[in-house]
Amino acid sequence: MLLWLSIGWVFASAVVAMLPLRLQYVPGVALLGAAPVLLIFIAHEYGFWPVAAAVLAVVSMYRNPLRYFWTRLSRQKVETT
């Protein structure tokens, strides 16, 4: 079941990436919020190395939103390019 949820998350992220930018925000934030839950289940089921690979994949796919949220949380001024 966890494997199918993980595959579904990856395909959903790919579909969201193909949407126009104005339509990406809500489903993208929902997928980003679901990622830690999925990563916890992967860590519990499979151990450290698979979850390390999954964390690298999530950070790679969501690097710009994560950078934005990090700067907002650290109270720095956000640069938009």
Side-chain angles (χ1 to χ4, degrees):
M1 181 69 177
L2 179 61
L3 179 64
W4 290 111
L5 287 174
S6 302
I7 292 170
W9 185 91
V10 169
F11 281 124
S13 293
V15 168
V16 168
M18 290 187 281
L19 292 172
L21 189 59
R22 60 180 162 63
L23 298 176
Q24 287 182 0
Y25 293 113
V26 173
V29 169
L31 286 168
L32 187 59
V37 176
L38 193 59
L39 291 171
I40 289 169
F41 284 127
I42 291 171
H44 177 68
E45 191 74 25
Y46 296 108
F48 175 75
W49 293 111
V51 82
V55 166
L56 290 175
V58 169
V59 170
S60 174
M61 291 171 65
Y62 287 92
R63 65 185 170 271
N64 289 331
L66 289 172
R67 186 180 306 137
Y68 172 79
F69 288 130
W70 177 258
T71 55
R72 293 287 291 195
L73 288 173
S74 62
R75 305 280 188 218
Q76 296 174 1
K77 185 177 178 182
V78 177
E79 278 188 40
T80 57
T81 56

